[in-house]
Amino acid sequence: MSARLKIWPLLCGIVAATGCAHFESKPLAPEKSAAQFDARRLDDPGLKKFLAQNLGHELPGWPLEKWDLNALTLAAFYFHPDLEVARAQWRVAEAGALTAGARPNPSVSVSPGYDGGIPDNYSPWLIPVTFDIPIETAGKRGKRIAEAEKVAESARWSFVTAAWQVRSNVRNSLMDLQMSGRRAALLQAQFAAQTEIVKQLQQRLDAGAISRPELTTAQIAMNKSQLDLSAAQAKRDDAHSRLAQALGVSVAALDGVNLEFDFSADVPDALTTADARGVALRGRADILGALADYAAAEADLRLQIAKQYPDLHLGPAYAWNSGNAGDSQWSLGVTLELPILDQNQGPIAEAEARRKLSAAKFVALQAQVIGAIDRAVAGLESARKQLQTGASVLAAAEQQQKSVAAQVQAGVAERLDLSSAEIELNSVRLAQLDGNAQLQSAVGALEDALQSPADSIAAVIRKISPENPNPSPQ
């Protein structure tokens, strides 16, 4: 018996150690992670594999000769740290489902006692052993699992929403970069024409053919063109930096990269029809996430109501009296909490309030989405009309410039007239460029509102893996 008692601690230790997790320290190294960030490039072999998997075909060459919106979006999915944050939150929620499904462990208690008054017993020691076996009632475990699954589903849709936000940021920054580059080129031509006018007027002033105010007016216009050019160049540099940030790489990673934005791309008419609102309300990630939040709140309410019913605890026990069989005892205890003073009314009230809050948030989000869709559709139609009007004005300005150029060549008009016509043409081109930018902004706003771009990237977002494709630490 002494040997049996000595082996019990060993057996308990083995049982406790079986399946236990062990802590592994993983300290953060800011210098290392910053160096890894700076080392990111668009010719990364892992990025090549990721693009080939999601584009559905082998790449013609590597690195790509041109990086369009889709390729840059996939690069952002590969690099951007915001997606890893959303991905980690998703994994946390999935781990919560494991916690919810755990069953309560039984417990054992040993309470050695001493009784010297037992007759004819060679040892006064008593060794009672009591077990506690909890039994959950009212299906609490299943309700916990249902709630945790809905929370995990909401986290998944939050990840998809984060992916759409990354896509939107890449599109907007790439469009701004291309637009500001085109604007800078037009303003450069505008400034050159203004400089030529000032030069010709200076010659006329020196010859006494004009007055000083005429030259001053031209100089002011030239200086304004120069300021506009500097502002456009600064905006281009800022858009370049914002694009790097949207991709999750350093600015140096874009050096020498040929970027392309298809300004001719438009959205299908189907996205501007009356059923677009229904498509968005049935398929937007944040809408589906809000529905999952409401379902989780309902599951929590069910769980809190179930907690009104107390759990059952079985307590079998055995008392061993130093080998005296006549004095050893078996017993079976049952413990049940009496719901007299508290019937879980407080948590039930909180759960009901949270369900109402989830419902209110869903309705508010739905109204916000409807408003965004309506504004985007109206903005797109307005931008299309404005661009069509601008096209006719641009055609007239181009015709006027050609006519003046022919007159100069024929000797019936002066070089100054041609410079003025070129300035007028560039002004119209700048206005048309602004109209094109407004159209593309409206297209982007509609894509964001519908979460349905006119390309294959939507399918990529829906199937994107919960595992980070970029193995380097964030």
Side-chain angles (χ1 to χ4, degrees):
M1 182 57 62
S2 177
R4 293 178 183 177
L5 291 177
K6 291 180 179 179
I7 203 173
W8 269 100
L10 177 61
L11 293 176
C12 291
I14 293 175
V15 172
T18 302
C20 290
H22 300 281
F23 174 75
E24 180 183 356
S25 178
K26 292 185 178 181
L28 294 177
E31 297 81 3
K32 181 179 179 181
S33 59
Q36 290 173 336
F37 178 83
D38 291 336
R40 292 176 176 179
R41 294 294 184 271
L42 295 186
D43 58 356
D44 188 302
L47 177 60
K48 176 184 178 181
K49 181 180 178 181
F50 183 69
L51 261 66
Q53 289 175 344
N54 288 281
L55 291 175
H57 59 77
E58 291 296 328
L59 302 179
W62 190 256
L64 298 179
E65 294 183 2
K66 292 183 179 180
W67 287 82
D68 60 8
L69 177 57
N70 278 359
L72 290 172
T73 299
L74 291 174
F77 290 167
Y78 184 80
F79 285 121
H80 207 287
D82 283 356
L83 278 186
E84 180 58 14
V85 172
R87 188 180 283 114
Q89 292 171 338
W90 183 3
R91 289 196 291 263
V92 169
E94 289 181 329
L98 295 177
T99 303
R103 298 180 184 273
N105 286 318
S107 61
V108 59
S109 62
V110 180
S111 306
Y114 184 89
D115 187 355
I118 301 176
D120 301 328
N121 194 28
Y122 62 85
S123 175
W125 289 100
L126 306 175
I127 305 178
V129 179
T130 304
F131 294 89
D132 180 33
I133 304 175
I135 300 176
E136 289 187 300
T137 61
K140 296 185 183 70
R141 179 173 177 269
K143 292 177 174 61
R144 282 200 311 272
I145 294 174
E147 179 185 0
E149 288 176 345
K150 290 302 179 180
V151 171
E153 181 182 349
S154 175
R156 172 178 176 268
W157 289 120
S158 294
F159 172 75
V160 174
T161 299
W164 279 110
Q165 186 59 54
V166 168
R167 153 78 180 200
S168 177
N169 291 339
V170 171
R171 188 188 191 282
N172 292 337
S173 55
L174 178 62
M175 186 196 71
D176 288 345
L177 177 61
Q178 297 292 302
M179 283 293 182
S180 57
R182 292 188 177 191
R183 186 174 183 83
L186 288 175
L187 288 171
Q188 183 67 54
Q190 188 87 330
F191 176 68
Q194 292 282 7
T195 302
E196 179 64 24
I197 288 178
V198 169
K199 179 181 178 182
Q200 295 177 22
L201 290 178
Q202 182 66 53
Q203 293 174 353
R204 293 190 178 189
L205 178 64
D206 294 341
I210 62 172
S211 62
R212 169 64 65 176
E214 293 183 63
L215 176 61
T216 301
T217 301
Q219 289 174 332
I220 292 174
M222 180 187 68
N223 293 335
K224 184 179 181 302
S225 296
Q226 188 175 22
L227 290 175
D228 291 342
L229 175 59
S230 298
Q233 291 171 339
K235 186 175 181 180
R236 180 186 58 195
D237 295 339
D238 178 68
H240 190 262
S241 299
R242 286 190 289 110
L243 177 59
Q245 182 180 3
L247 295 175
V249 299
S250 63
V251 176
L254 297 182
D255 291 344
V257 176
N258 186 10
L259 304 171
E260 182 181 71
F261 187 89
D262 187 7
F263 289 97
S264 63
D266 202 346
V267 292
D269 292 338
L271 289 182
T272 60
T273 57
D275 63 346
R277 180 185 294 182
V279 170
L281 295 179
R282 290 191 301 269
R284 272 183 63 119
D286 50 0
I287 290 288
L288 298 176
L291 289 173
D293 288 338
Y294 181 79
E298 277 213 320
D300 180 51
L301 179 57
R302 292 191 185 97
L303 176 61
Q304 298 305 325
I305 290 176
K307 285 184 178 181
Q308 293 180 112
Y309 305 97
D311 294 334
L312 183 67
H313 291 261
L314 299 180
Y318 172 74
W320 178 77
N321 186 11
S322 300
N324 190 337
D327 200 30
S328 297
Q329 298 177 354
W330 283 98
S331 63
L332 178 62
V334 178
T335 303
L336 186 67
E337 180 183 339
L338 298 178
I340 299 175
L341 301 179
D342 177 38
Q343 296 180 343
N344 207 43
Q345 297 306 312
I348 291 175
E350 291 182 19
E352 287 180 338
R354 283 192 293 268
R355 184 174 67 169
K356 291 180 180 179
L357 176 61
S358 296
K361 286 183 176 180
F362 174 78
V363 173
L365 176 62
Q366 193 176 51
Q368 178 183 347
V369 170
I370 291 173
I373 294 173
D374 292 344
R375 288 195 307 272
V377 171
L380 182 60
E381 292 303 314
S382 176
R384 280 173 171 165
K385 293 178 181 179
Q386 181 177 348
L387 201 61
Q388 291 173 356
T389 302
S392 60
V393 176
L394 178 60
E398 289 175 343
Q399 183 61 37
Q400 175 67 15
Q401 189 270 343
K402 291 178 181 179
S403 176
V404 174
Q407 292 176 8
V408 171
Q409 187 174 5
V412 297
E414 298 181 352
R415 177 67 184 174
L416 184 62
D417 297 326
L418 180 59
S419 297
S420 298
E422 290 175 348
I423 290 176
E424 182 65 26
L425 175 59
N426 279 332
S427 297
V428 176
R429 285 173 175 169
L430 285 169
Q432 188 70 351
L433 181 65
D434 291 339
N436 200 358
Q438 183 178 351
L439 175 64
Q440 292 301 326
S441 296
V443 171
L446 185 58
E447 286 187 0
D448 292 342
L450 298 177
Q451 288 192 350
S452 179
D455 49 43
S456 60
I457 207 67
V460 174
I461 291 177
R462 289 305 176 99
K463 72 176 184 179
I464 193 168
S465 171
E467 297 299 327
N468 184 8
N470 183 7
S472 62
Q474 298 298 322

